[in-house]
Amino acid sequence: MRINERRSLWRRMKPHLLVFDAPLAMILFLLLATSMITMYSAGIEYPGRLEGQIRNTMVAFVVMWAAALVPPQTLMRLAVPIYTVGVTLLVAVFLFGIVKKGARRWLYIGFDIQPSEIMKIAMPLMLAWYFHQKAGMVRWHSFIVAAMLLAVPVGLIQLQPDLGTSLLVLSAGLYVIFLAGLSWKALFGLFIAGAAALPVAWSLMHDYQRDRVLTLIDPTKDPLGKGFHIIQSVIAIGSGGIAGKGLLKGTQSHLEFVPEHTTDFIFSIYSEEFGLIGILGLILIYLLLIGRGLMIAANAPTLFARLLAGAITMAFFTYAFVNMGMVSGILPVVGVPLPFMSYGGTAFVTLGLGAGILMSISLHRKLVQT
């Protein structure tokens, strides 16, 4: 009798304990292990930085586990409230947010929060919900409504100003719109319109944003000023050679030539110490992450789940591509962290939430099938 009771208890608890998609969990473990090794070296001059990364990882793990337990149907019901709260907080930031380093991005509610981070998940949630409601009835005006839902938070974030986060939220929303069936002709038309609007966009950019673009084109014009970060980052990446200099032997970081080398520029430190072989290994892990996420999206049981999983997966790709591009000198510096590698509490929680949603979609697909 006791044995039967134990088996019955295990059956009831099993869905709540074994919530992780095994391939995705293994990929994330490899990525986080790489992050810890790199952070040990990059943060050795900053006492507590490695411990902070471990703490952030543990918090992100709890968030991921909790999100994995939430059925996609529940996420769909929460989409509109989360989006509404996120936009409301962005308006509050615009009206009476906290200014740090010339940017109004934070809101004090007993502690500082950055509402724009919420929109990285709220935006694909909202648009996935919207197109799910329109399943089988998507028309050209449906995409206009979706574009308006996307434009509001992106515009509010850009006003802070925060170009990096606004681009990430924009890309997450555009992925949903594309996956919902936007035609290639429409995409080409949008590309042409975007190219034609570049002069207007240039005139609306802040001075520091224009400086970043000009620095990308020719960092040597101000090698000891605005171009210093990019030049030193590229030197660090190139000096790693094939096999790298070895752990703790990266001179660019430990001699303080590379700025923010535990956050936005951690890839340059990793490249210097682990070389081309390490870079290829890291890129392979990210490709596996993206591939597994797209498989989860392809096998999702509902349109909402497919759109959400696809958008989150491609958001991971955008994070990695933009970060590697900016520290390599092929994209402007926009303050985008390397996913699951760069130090940062809020970003880690957001990434953990995104991974948890992928776990949820994978888990509940299996539960439906069984």
Side-chain angles (χ1 to χ4, degrees), residues 39 42-44 46-54 56 262-263 343:
M39 189 60 64
I44 199 166
Y46 301 91
R49 188 54 58 98
L50 177 61
E51 291 79 0
Q53 186 79 325
I54 295 173
N56 294 335
T262 62
T263 54
Y343 181 87

Side-chain angles (χ1 to χ4, degrees), residues 154-170:
V154 169
L156 288 170
I157 295 171
Q158 180 58 25
L159 288 174
Q160 293 178 355
D162 190 349
L163 179 60
T165 303
S166 65
L167 289 176
L168 292 175
V169 174
L170 176 65

